[in-house]
């Protein structure tokens, strides 16, 4: 009687638990039972799950995760909060904590697994860390920018005075060059500062395709210099509230990365199209792709793998995208990388 009560209580808890739970036979790994939350997270119904195993449904596609899970089960007889990637029916990915214990069901040894979905928590943690870094960088930039700008302003002033002097007339060319270079440095600082600042953005109703058309000659010249090709394929996209200077910079930063990733002869494709009413900018290169080990660090200020890189290109893109309610994502393969910028409306 006491046992039956215990079983009833267990069954109730099992079914009602907000945590996805499953029971698998130890001998062959077959699912014996899952709860509603498990159906929900995986997207498989109980009948689709029946007679299957974790492996046959490819629920844990990462071989390392799968191996570690089995090792813990066999060696320690259980698992406590092991972080793994879980894949659902339609390929949706979750980061979950898996715990498992052996139990006896109908006289047979089984494994009871309990899952905690931490996908959202992970995402927020990552975002917070990124914002922290951006914030710190902004403060640093503001400090350094100020300290560098003041002496630069003095230098520029004196150069201008000297330039107009009789004695210096022969060196005008050099003075102009020096002033231009100073102005360039100054504009880099301005851009750098704008990244972290939440200044009001000057947005106008513009079309992405017009901005790309204006940039095309510049990009083509860039490509020719390094023996690479550019394809531009523009489909109709809705007008958007854009800051054209910032969008030009976003495009150039992504395009330059693509060019830098390719060997001579490589093709870079810039596309625009509409996907479910949303304007999308797609930039694909035929470079060597991005190593999975560093993919999480892409876009972190100062993260670079290039000798001459500052690692600010994509961080600036991220902040520009943020001000345009746009989202940057990427898909990388060993034969190239595609960046997507989706302008949510
Ligand atoms: N299309 C790409 N193909 C391969 N790797 C890329 C690509 N885009 C970015 N990366 C990687 O991401 C890193 C960061 O890019 P990001 O543009 O932020 O900085 P950077 O290009 O290194 O320097 P900067 O843009 O400041 O000159 C690069 O160093 C590179 O390793
Ligand atoms: Mg770059």
């Amino acid at each position: 009687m006491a046992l039956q009560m215990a079983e009833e209580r267990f069954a109730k808890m099992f079914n009602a638990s907000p945590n996805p739970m499953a029971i698998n036979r130890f001998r062959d790994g077959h699912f014996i039972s899952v709860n509603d939350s498990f159906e929900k997270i995986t997207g498989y119904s109980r009948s689709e799950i029946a007679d299957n195993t974790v492996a046959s449904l490819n629920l844990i596609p990462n071989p390392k995760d799968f191996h570690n899970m089995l090792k813990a089960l066999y060696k320690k007889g259980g698992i406590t909060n092991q972080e793994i990637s879980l894949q659902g029916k339609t390929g949706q990915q979750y980061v979950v904590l898996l715990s498992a214990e052996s139990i006896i069901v109908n006289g047979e040894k089984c494994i009871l697994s309990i899952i905690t979905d931490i996908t959202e928590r992970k995402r927020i943690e990552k975002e917070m860390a990124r914002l922290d870094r951006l914030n710190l960088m902004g403060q640093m930039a503001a400090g350094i920018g100020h300290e560098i700008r003041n002496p630069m302003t003095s230098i520029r002033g004196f150069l201008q005075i000297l330039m107009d002097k009789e004695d210096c007339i022969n060196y005008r060319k050099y003075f102009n060059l020096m002033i231009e270079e100073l102005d360039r440095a100054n504009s880099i600082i301005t851009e750098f500062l704008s990244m972290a600042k939440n200044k009001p953005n000057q947005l106008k109703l513009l079309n992405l395709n017009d901005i790309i058309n204006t940039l095309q000659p510049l990009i083509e010249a860039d490509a020719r210099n390094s023996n690479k090709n550019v394809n531009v394929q523009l489909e109709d996209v809705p007008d958007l509230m854009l800051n054209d200077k910032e969008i030009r910079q976003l495009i150039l930063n992504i395009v330059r990365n693509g060019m830098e990733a390719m060997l001579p002869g490589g093709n870079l494709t810039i596309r625009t199209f509409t996907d479910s009413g949303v304007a999308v900018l797609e930039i694909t290169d035929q470079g060597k792709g991005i190593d999975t080990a560093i993919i999480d660090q892409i876009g972190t200020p100062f993260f670079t793998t290039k000798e001459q890189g500052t690692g600010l290109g994509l961080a600036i893109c991220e902040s520009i995208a943020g001000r345009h309610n746009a989202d940057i994502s990427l898909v990388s393969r060993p034969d190239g990388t595609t960046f997507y910028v989706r302008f949510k409306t």
Side-chain angles (χ1 to χ4, degrees):
M1 184 61 192
L3 189 66
Q4 202 186 343
M5 284 272 291
E7 268 180 22
E8 252 173 46
R9 269 207 301 265
F10 173 77
K12 265 205 178 130
M13 216 177 67
F14 184 81
N15 282 321
S17 168
N19 285 78
M21 291 167 97
I23 299 173
N24 296 70
R25 208 149 57 196
F26 189 78
R27 152 165 80 81
D28 56 11
H30 278 216
F31 279 100
I32 304 282
S33 183
V34 299
N35 66 359
D36 292 351
S37 308
F38 193 89
E39 277 189 317
K40 209 162 125 200
I41 193 169
T42 61
Y44 289 108
S45 66
R46 282 179 169 82
S47 58
E48 287 172 310
I49 290 170
D51 291 328
N52 270 300
T53 63
V54 170
S56 71
L57 293 175
N58 201 21
L59 289 173
I60 306 179
N62 182 340
K64 209 163 116 201
D65 283 351
F66 193 71
H67 174 79
N68 287 344
M69 177 190 75
L70 290 183
K71 202 167 95 186
L73 269 182
Y74 281 105
K75 284 223 166 128
K76 298 189 203 130
I79 301 170
T80 316
N81 285 339
Q82 183 189 323
E83 188 177 316
I84 58 166
S85 303
L86 184 80
Q87 179 174 276
K89 185 177 172 181
T90 55
Q92 72 272 37
Q93 303 284 330
Y94 299 94
V95 185
V96 303
L97 296 177
L98 174 70
S99 296
E101 276 298 322
S102 59
I103 57 166
I104 304 292
V105 178
N106 299 332
E108 187 158 25
K109 186 173 173 188
C110 290
I111 304 293
L112 168 69
S113 314
I114 305 177
I115 285 169
T116 310
D117 182 6
I118 56 165
T119 315
E120 186 58 13
R121 191 169 96 199
K122 278 267 171 197
R123 197 187 60 75
I124 292 172
E125 273 173 11
K126 237 191 201 163
E127 182 63 14
M128 295 285 284
R130 203 181 64 83
L131 288 178
D132 259 3
R133 280 192 300 261
L134 271 180
N135 200 6
L136 177 68
M137 192 189 47
Q139 287 170 10
M140 272 168 53
I144 294 173
H146 188 249
E147 292 306 305
I148 292 179
R149 256 187 185 163
N150 285 347
M152 269 175 30
T153 311
S154 319
I155 296 171
R156 195 182 190 284
F158 284 122
L159 284 175
Q160 238 162 357
I161 294 173
L162 287 175
M163 185 164 81
D164 295 334
K165 294 252 186 249
E166 202 67 37
D167 296 352
C168 296
I169 216 91
N170 289 334
Y171 305 107
R172 254 226 151 110
K173 194 168 85 191
Y174 297 118
F175 280 102
N176 276 326
L177 220 92
M178 285 191 272
I179 289 174
E180 259 172 44
E181 289 289 284
L182 274 177
D183 287 347
R184 201 166 67 90
N186 204 16
S187 74
I188 291 176
I189 295 176
T190 308
E191 258 155 33
F192 192 39
L193 289 175
S194 77
M195 172 162 43
K197 244 193 222 151
N198 251 341
K199 60 162 193 211
N201 205 358
Q202 283 152 8
L203 303 175
K204 277 187 275 186
L205 196 63
L206 297 168
N207 200 284
L208 201 51
N209 290 344
D210 294 337
I211 297 180
I212 296 172
N213 281 328
T214 320
L215 272 182
Q216 196 168 345
L218 180 67
I219 295 172
E220 275 168 356
D222 238 21
R224 256 197 311 277
N225 279 340
S226 53
N227 276 323
K228 287 155 200 165
N229 311 304
V230 192
N231 286 307
V232 178
Q233 301 165 13
L234 306 179
E235 287 176 23
D236 278 349
V237 287
D239 288 349
L240 297 161
M241 292 303 286
L242 303 173
N243 176 326
D244 58 339
K245 194 163 161 259
E246 289 201 330
I247 295 299
R248 275 205 300 272
Q249 183 169 21
L250 176 140
I251 297 170
L252 281 181
N253 286 357
I254 300 178
V255 164
R256 293 226 163 100
N257 281 343
M259 297 281 186
E260 285 163 359
M262 296 194 297
L263 297 171
N267 294 306
L268 184 111
T269 309
I270 303 174
R271 284 183 63 209
T272 55
F273 57 92
T274 313
D275 178 29
S276 344
V278 168
V280 185
L281 166 70
E282 183 193 290
I283 299 176
T284 301
D285 64 63
Q286 296 180 328
K288 51 200 171 317
I290 301 172
D291 204 332
T292 44
I294 61 162
I295 216 152
D296 276 352
Q297 281 156 274
I298 301 292
T300 304
F302 301 116
F303 174 79
T304 181
T305 57
K306 299 171 192 169
E307 218 158 282
Q308 302 293 331
T310 59
L312 280 177
L314 288 175
I316 290 176
C317 291
E318 286 279 356
S319 81
I320 293 174
R323 286 194 286 275
H324 285 83
N325 195 25
D327 223 29
I328 302 182
S329 59
L330 67 93
V331 175
S332 190
R333 302 163 308 273
D335 62 350
T337 305
T338 304
F339 278 84
Y340 297 94
V341 186
R342 305 175 61 88
F343 293 85
K344 299 173 280 186
T345 40

